Amino acid sequence: MASRPTNALPVLYNELIPISRHDHKNWRFRLQDKLPFMSEIHAIPLAVEEFGMAQRNFPIVFSSGPNPVPLALMGLNDGVNVFFDEEGNCRESHIYLPAYIRRYPFMLAKIDPKSEDMSLCVDPSRGMVGEFEDGEPLFEGDEPSEFTKNILGFCEQFAISAQRTNDFVAELMEHKLLIDGEVAIQPNDASKPYVYRSFQIVSEERLKELRGDVLRKMVKFGLLPLVYAHLMSLSLVQDIFQRQAILGRIPPLPENEQNPSA
């Protein structure tokens, strides 16, 4: 249900090129009111600063594998997003839009693997940047535009948030708080339950068994509210399932299995 992407580029990104005044002097960014690529994205990375807002709308889980990341679930099956339709319209006007989506198509990335320097890059594949007559210019003369400076600042803050998120997950892993998650949902008209796996959650039992000094450290650094936001958000899995059912996006149960491509 929530495995970390295995492709070389992060989710959403098809291509990444560094922004250059030489190559992109006349490029503009054109804001789109529809995001059709979101209709097939069922999980989006989340930063710890977003847990409080995101837990109102999405279940927050951790990806499977040795390097887990927090994810906001927008669907329970690959290719299903209950919050965006096929044309890219958001079905609700008041949901929280994760920073990962708001950052797209820009991103800070290392161009030279031998260097620690980061460059502002962009994905040009979805028609949001190019030599348009309208839109926000990336450059004003030979200098980055105010828009580009603001985007760079946003991406820098995103990178800082990503490091804080990594530190939070590292703390959970150090104390072995993450366990494999499993959710079984039994619709009234189904002979067997739908069982969703391939994600991780915080173990409430292990949390209760933590030593006092570890708990005090988590309280001091504001980690416990993040854990509880995650745990409270898990009740929304049932809501996401019901939304998929209303949209007719629940896959049929395999005859000999209980795990429907979760």
Side-chain angles (χ1 to χ4, degrees), residues 161-173:
S161 294
Q163 184 55 57
R164 291 174 181 155
T165 303
N166 291 340
D167 293 342
F168 168 64
V169 174
E171 191 77 16
L172 297 180
M173 295 180 68

Side-chain angles (χ1 to χ4, degrees), residues 32-215:
Q32 296 182 355
D33 57 357
K34 298 182 180 181
L35 304 173
F37 51 86
M38 282 301 303
S39 65
E40 297 184 352
I41 303 296
H42 81 292
I44 285 292
L46 206 61
V48 289
E49 288 88 349
E50 303 180 276
F51 277 30
M53 294 293 293
Q55 60 101 15
R56 302 176 184 180
N57 302 120
F58 318 112
I60 300 171
V61 299
F62 297 84
S63 61
S64 59
N67 299 302
V69 296
L71 297 170
L73 290 183
M74 296 185 167
L76 301 183
N77 296 88
D78 288 340
V80 178
N81 188 323
V82 301
F83 295 97
F84 286 85
D85 64 22
E86 292 181 356
E87 294 181 353
N89 297 299
C90 189
R91 291 190 171 99
E92 297 185 20
S93 58
H94 298 295
I95 68 165
Y96 176 74
L97 199 64
Y100 190 97
I101 301 174
R102 289 182 275 124
R103 177 186 64 163
Y104 185 82
F106 300 96
M107 180 182 176
L108 278 179
K110 293 181 183 179
I111 303 304
D112 183 356
K114 298 180 181 179
S115 173
E116 293 299 316
D117 293 338
M118 307 282 279
S119 298
L120 183 61
C121 299
V122 67
D123 178 2
S125 67
R126 302 190 196 270
M128 299 175 75
V129 291
E131 292 191 12
F132 308 137
E133 293 183 0
D134 60 331
E136 297 284 352
L138 299 188
F139 290 91
E140 295 174 350
D142 289 332
E143 297 299 322
S145 67
E146 194 66 27
F147 169 81
T148 300
K149 292 177 183 177
N150 289 336
I151 287 295
L152 176 60
F154 184 84
C155 289
E156 288 173 341
Q157 287 301 313
F158 188 94
I160 293 172
S161 294
Q163 184 55 57
R164 291 174 181 155
T165 303
N166 291 340
D167 293 342
F168 168 64
V169 174
E171 191 77 16
L172 297 180
M173 295 180 68
E174 179 182 350
H175 301 293
K176 298 179 172 58
L177 289 175
L178 290 181
I179 60 173
D180 291 337
E182 180 177 301
V183 176
I185 301 176
Q186 176 86 48
N188 293 333
D189 58 350
S191 60
K192 296 185 292 187
Y194 285 81
V195 180
Y196 291 95
R197 303 184 181 97
S198 299
F199 64 99
Q200 298 183 77
I201 61 173
V202 170
S203 167
E204 294 188 67
E205 290 302 315
R206 294 183 183 181
L207 188 64
K208 294 175 183 176
E209 296 171 356
L210 283 180
R211 298 194 318 266
D213 60 326
V214 175
L215 278 173

